[in-house]
């Protein structure tokens, strides 16, 4: 009997732990944390302080996790009616509202403590602004109109800037360049997801697509235009001496390939074309960022 109770107890702990981990949207949070580490690595002159880098990654992961958790708390009733979100921890009852709230606060406070100890006050301040923008401005704006995408792109582009500031303590033109690349990347990324998830988003009243919210040629053109901007933007780190020629070539190839995917969407307007852009956006950013880092080394 005792052994059975112990097994049941361990299973319950494992289920709860998995549910809390899901609340953090781990894949998104790891991408955010990587972007923070990327900015730090790109800004570092000389030997890397590995302890600071690891703590920055952890702090970024926890901050993103807290923001994602708050997002799910606010949207818990909407998540119940969308196919893509109805299995999340809050809609399924695997985590209570009180538990999710405590977990979000704990993750946020721990991230701020870590960033305060291992980085600097400006990094901490911008981290708090990022969380507030994503959780309390972008989240409710999703039901208002496409302005939400612009607002959401701001905290979405802050991680590499935070990493740069963590290394240097200042906002420089180099920091703004890597911020700008990730900022522009957000638009085709957001809109491709919104195109693919349009039916679900309509159930929740989300209005993220541009041009009146239609899956039409105008929206496809806007996706194409923003993707096109990434090609010259990707060359700026080399132009301003942050990186070199090799990464500029990689960024150009990735930018052209990403841009090329948009023509199929303009021609067919199909879900498959939108999915290719969505997956292309997931590949573009880490490949280009890794290329910049390797070129700097």
């Amino acid at each position: 009997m005792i052994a059975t109770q112990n097994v049941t107890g361990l299973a319950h702990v494992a289920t709860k732990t998995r549910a809390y981990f899901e609340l953090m949207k781990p894949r998104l949070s790891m991408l955010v944390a990587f972007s923070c580490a990327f900015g730090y690595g790109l800004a570092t002159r000389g030997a890397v302080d590995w302890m600071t880098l690891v703590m920055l990654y952890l702090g970024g992961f926890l901050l993103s996790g807290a923001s994602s958790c708050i997002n799910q708390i606010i949207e818990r009733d909407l998540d119940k009616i969308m196919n893509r979100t109805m299995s999340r921890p809050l809609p399924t009852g695997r985590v209570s509202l009180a538990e999710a709230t405590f977990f979000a606060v704990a993750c946020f406070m721990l991230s701020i403590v870590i960033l305060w100890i291992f980085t600097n006050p400006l990094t901490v301040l911008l981290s708090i602004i990022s969380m507030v923008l994503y959780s309390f401005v972008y989240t409710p704006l999703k039901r208002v109109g496409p302005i939400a995408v612009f607002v959401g792109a701001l905290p979405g582009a802050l991680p590499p800037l935070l990493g740069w500031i963590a290394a240097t303590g200042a906002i420089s033109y180099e920091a703004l360049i890597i911020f700008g690349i990730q900022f522009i990347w957000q638009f085709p990324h957001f809109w491709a997801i919104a195109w693919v998830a349009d039916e679900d988003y309509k159930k929740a009243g989300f209005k993220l697509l541009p041009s009146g919210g239609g899956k039409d040629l105008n929206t496809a053109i806007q996706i194409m235009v923003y993707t096109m901007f990434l090609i010259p933007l990707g060359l700026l780190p080399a132009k301003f001496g942050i990186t070199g020629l090799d990464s500029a070539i990689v960024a150009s190839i990735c930018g052209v390939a990403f841009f090329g995917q948009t023509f199929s969407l303009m021609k067919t307007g199909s879900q498959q074309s939108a999915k290719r852009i969505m997956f292309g956006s997931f590949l573009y950013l880490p490949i280009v960022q890794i290329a910049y880092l390797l070129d700097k080394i």
Side-chain angles (χ1 to χ4, degrees):
M1 179 67 73
I2 293 175
T4 302
Q5 289 176 341
N6 287 340
V7 171
T8 303
L10 288 173
H12 176 72
V13 170
T15 299
K16 277 290 186 183
T17 301
R18 188 162 51 249
Y20 283 128
F21 195 58
E22 285 179 38
L23 280 174
M24 300 180 79
K25 294 184 182 177
R27 285 181 295 182
L28 171 63
S29 294
M30 283 190 283
L31 181 61
V32 168
F34 174 78
S35 288
C36 289
F38 155 73
Y40 181 85
L42 204 63
T44 301
R45 301 290 183 264
V48 173
D49 185 334
W50 290 103
M51 177 61 73
T52 299
L53 179 60
V54 170
M55 290 297 104
L56 175 65
Y57 185 95
L58 179 59
F61 181 84
L62 289 169
L63 184 73
S64 176
S67 301
S68 297
C69 189
I70 295 169
N71 169 270
Q72 291 173 75
I73 290 169
I74 294 172
E75 295 182 347
R76 62 190 182 278
D77 292 330
L78 301 175
D79 282 346
K80 292 179 182 178
I81 61 177
M82 293 190 291
N83 295 332
R84 64 192 294 272
T85 56
M86 61 175 55
S87 61
R88 285 177 175 175
L90 279 167
T92 57
R94 287 179 289 143
V95 173
S96 69
L97 177 59
E99 288 172 333
T101 302
F102 177 81
F103 183 68
V105 172
C107 286
F108 174 68
M109 295 304 297
L110 184 57
S111 71
I112 294 304
V113 169
I114 290 172
L115 293 174
W116 182 266
I117 292 173
F118 289 96
T119 63
N120 51 64
L122 183 56
T123 303
V124 173
L125 175 61
L126 289 177
S127 297
I128 294 172
I129 291 173
S130 175
M131 188 278 291
V132 171
L133 279 175
Y134 180 84
S135 301
F136 300 109
V137 183
Y138 162 71
T139 296
L141 279 178
K142 287 161 72 175
R143 303 186 78 195
V144 175
I147 185 65
V149 175
F150 174 82
V151 174
L154 293 170
L158 277 174
L161 181 70
L162 293 175
W164 188 284
I165 295 171
T168 66
I171 300 175
S172 62
Y173 70 86
E174 298 100 330
L176 294 176
I177 287 171
I178 59 174
F179 168 84
I181 293 170
Q182 193 149 320
F183 178 76
I184 294 299
W185 169 85
Q186 301 281 323
F187 291 90
H189 173 70
F190 267 120
W191 287 333
I193 293 173
W195 189 299
V196 171
D198 186 56
E199 289 186 12
D200 253 1
Y201 279 2
K202 283 179 178 176
K203 294 177 186 176
F206 292 162
K207 303 171 182 177
L208 297 179
L209 288 173
S211 302
K215 293 165 59 175
D216 54 25
L217 180 60
N218 287 333
T219 294
I221 289 173
Q222 291 202 51
I223 292 173
M224 182 270 291
V225 169
Y226 277 87
T227 307
M228 182 176 64
F229 284 154
L230 286 173
I231 299 173
L233 281 173
L235 298 173
L236 290 182
K239 170 66 177 177
F240 287 90
I242 306 170
T243 59
L245 178 61
D246 291 342
S247 61
I249 293 172
V250 172
S252 296
I253 293 171
C254 290
V256 170
F258 193 17
F259 174 65
Q261 292 176 320
T262 64
F263 289 96
S264 175
L265 184 66
M266 288 192 295
K267 182 178 179 181
T268 66
S270 67
Q271 287 286 95
Q272 193 61 37
S273 296
K275 284 181 181 179
R276 281 196 290 267
I277 295 172
M278 181 179 72
F279 289 122
S281 71
F282 284 123
L283 290 172
Y284 172 87
L285 195 63
I287 290 174
V288 170
Q289 289 181 340
I290 290 170
Y292 288 150
L293 285 174
L294 292 176
D295 202 12
K296 180 179 179 293
I297 294 171

